């Protein structure tokens, strides 16, 4: 069934019919890995199976997750699909560019995924912040109304499309750390910065955390680079000029 | 609404929902001319309007025909969409090629159209014979099951794509900070980490500084991103859980 390629991740999909149509779109273009974050009507869902039109292998293999972060924890590179540009400094690609990027990373052995938001209001800013880049569709500005199955269809089609979109020669690009490493660092920053009054007021904190996540996500840091960064932060956290590393007990703060 | 381009012709469509999804797909990519050959459930069709998701301008302008020949009588050039190759010696194109051909003819002032068959069994050989060329989709041979709304979506998308690319604004990638900003950060790290015993021994220090410089250079951070990073580091340097920001004098270390 050629079920290789990026994981398709639906965040809180509402209608089983849409999930089924997504599975059908994926199967048509050789994709097989469907991940669902808290589908509204639970799982399994007979409406999804009916709408999948015999793409049972995709429906049967679908995996459930509690939240978006855990759904992408093992992935190296993730696109978020959005209908409108967002003010968050992430690179914005069209489907052709995005598919080329995904193929290139697939050829290099990386695990990739594409996030699709809720039927009514898409992805939250926090969910978009989890991704590396944004993909948006070149729709008519006077009528922009793609549903999630249509959006999945276009990305799946671009993924499989042959011809001038041949896989680019493997770049000697380093492999970005899996998302769980990013989340671990963000959780660490949340803790040590909160203790130090970095976030000023509680209402400012969510946006500040989002900016920090964007900062450490955007470079596509490798596991090794994240380890160096973590070492720098820990040195600042644990030690001080009066009590440097190796002088005995670390500064209790 | 940018309603220019090839006519979309549905031959004996059965489900109103599919007609509505076709209209929605067309509207997303700036197409507006829908022709229906003997829709099974008659016309108008409220299920079609509901599924069109506000693409009322396409639904309202749809025109009925008795048969396929009369539906394409005024057109200069017509594609037939088929799921499988047919033994009829017509040129077979992919969606990219077909869209290029349609644009070229549109630019020359020709009227064009694309025929889509019935949900269950497509177009008859006689209907295919009415067309100039065939367009088929690069689907997974092990699971070829595009519905008509999906097929219309892909052709509409390919029709609009280049126009959008032409008007796409310049790459919104942010500008990497000048090297002096990187050097300032490296000098800062050198100082605050040296004070904390990070470099262990003097002979290790040059290589470790080099690694830190590589870490902050590689992402191409913007000035704004570097400021956020600097703020994080300063918070760890100046404050502690016992003496958080805003609690009076910073920790002297």
């Amino acid at each position: 069934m050629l079920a290789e390629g990026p994981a398709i991740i639906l965040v809180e999909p509402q209608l089983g019919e849409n999930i089924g149509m997504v599975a059908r779109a994926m199967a048509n273009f050789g994709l097989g890995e469907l991940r669902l974050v808290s589908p509204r009507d639970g799982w399994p869902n007979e409406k999804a199976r009916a709408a999948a039109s015999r793409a049972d292998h995709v429906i049967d293999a679908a995996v459930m997750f509690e939240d978006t972060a855990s759904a992408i924890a093992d992935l190296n590179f993730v696109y978020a699909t959005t209908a409108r540009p967002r003010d968050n400094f992430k690179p914005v690609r069209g489907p052709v560019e995005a598919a080329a990027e995904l193929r290139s990373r697939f050829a290099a052995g990386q695990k990739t995924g594409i996030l699709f938001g809720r039927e009514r209001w898409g992805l939250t800013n926090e969910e978009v912040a989890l991704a590396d880049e944004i993909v948006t569709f070149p729709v008519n500005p006077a009528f922009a109304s793609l549903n999630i199955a249509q959006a999945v269809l276009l990305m799946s089609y671009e993924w499989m499309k042959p011809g001038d979109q041949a896989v680019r020669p493997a770049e000697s690009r380093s492999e970005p750390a899996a998302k769980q490493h990013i989340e671990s660092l963000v959780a660490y920053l949340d803790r040590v910065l909160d203790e130090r009054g970095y976030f000023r007021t509680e209402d400012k904190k969510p946006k500040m955390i989002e900016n920090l996540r964007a900062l450490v996500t955007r470079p596509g840091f490798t596991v090794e680079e994240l380890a160096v960064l973590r070492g720098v932060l820990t040195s600042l956290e644990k030690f001080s000029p009066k009590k440097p590393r190796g002088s005995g007990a670390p500064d209790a703060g």
Side-chain angles (χ1 to χ4, degrees), chain A residues 69-101:
Chain A
S70 52
I72 64 172
D74 62 320
L75 303 181
N76 300 106
F77 187 84
V78 174
Y79 274 107
T81 54
T82 72
R84 299 162 301 283
R86 308 263 185 140
D87 179 24
N88 56 15
F89 308 109
K90 287 187 194 291
V92 179
R93 312 293 184 198
V96 174
E97 284 176 294
E101 183 74 33

Side-chain angles (χ1 to χ4, degrees), chain A residues 169-238:
Chain A
E171 293 173 41
S172 61
R173 183 159 42 184
S174 50
E175 179 172 289
K179 296 307 175 195
Q180 58 201 351
H181 298 292
I182 295 287
E183 285 311 301
S184 168
L185 179 62
V186 171
Y188 169 84
L189 287 169
D190 186 343
R191 177 174 64 77
V192 299
L193 292 175
D194 210 5
E195 289 172 350
R196 285 164 177 78
Y198 175 84
F199 299 111
R200 321 286 177 86
T201 60
E202 275 301 308
D203 63 312
K204 287 199 173 116
K205 182 171 167 179
K207 180 65 182 167
M208 291 177 82
I209 285 282
E210 189 184 310
N211 287 344
L212 289 175
R213 181 179 281 108
L215 180 76
V216 296
T217 299
R218 211 262 295 152
F221 281 131
T222 64
V223 170
E224 294 75 17
E225 286 175 320
L226 284 177
V228 171
L229 182 56
R230 187 69 161 256
V232 167
L233 297 168
T234 304
S235 179
L236 288 164
E237 179 205 356
K238 301 271 190 212

Side-chain angles (χ1 to χ4, degrees), chain A residues 7 9 39 46 60 87 90 98 117 120 138 143 182 204 231 244 250 253:
Chain A
I9 305 136
E46 284 313 308
D60 291 338
D87 179 24
K90 287 187 194 291
R120 288 191 182 279
F143 187 91
I182 295 287
K204 287 199 173 116

Side-chain angles (χ1 to χ4, degrees), chain A residues 53-123:
Chain A
S53 188
R54 297 177 296 104
D56 293 317
H57 59 295
V58 179
I59 294 291
D60 291 338
V63 181
M64 298 300 110
F65 293 88
E66 292 277 316
D67 54 50
T68 304
S70 52
I72 64 172
D74 62 320
L75 303 181
N76 300 106
F77 187 84
V78 174
Y79 274 107
T81 54
T82 72
R84 299 162 301 283
R86 308 263 185 140
D87 179 24
N88 56 15
F89 308 109
K90 287 187 194 291
V92 179
R93 312 293 184 198
V96 174
E97 284 176 294
E101 183 74 33
L102 290 167
R103 279 192 296 273
S104 164
R105 290 178 183 271
F106 178 76
Q110 297 185 19
K111 293 189 71 174
T112 59
I114 314 172
L115 288 168
F116 296 84
R118 299 151 189 85
E119 283 91 336
R120 288 191 182 279
W121 45 278
L123 296 168

Side-chain angles (χ1 to χ4, degrees), chain A residues 29-65:
Chain A
F29 296 104
L31 293 181
E33 189 174 351
L34 177 61
R35 302 181 179 195
L36 303 176
V37 178
S38 301
R40 185 189 67 183
D41 297 336
W43 196 260
N45 183 320
E46 284 313 308
K47 286 184 179 171
R49 186 176 298 277
S53 188
R54 297 177 296 104
D56 293 317
H57 59 295
V58 179
I59 294 291
D60 291 338
V63 181
M64 298 300 110
F65 293 88

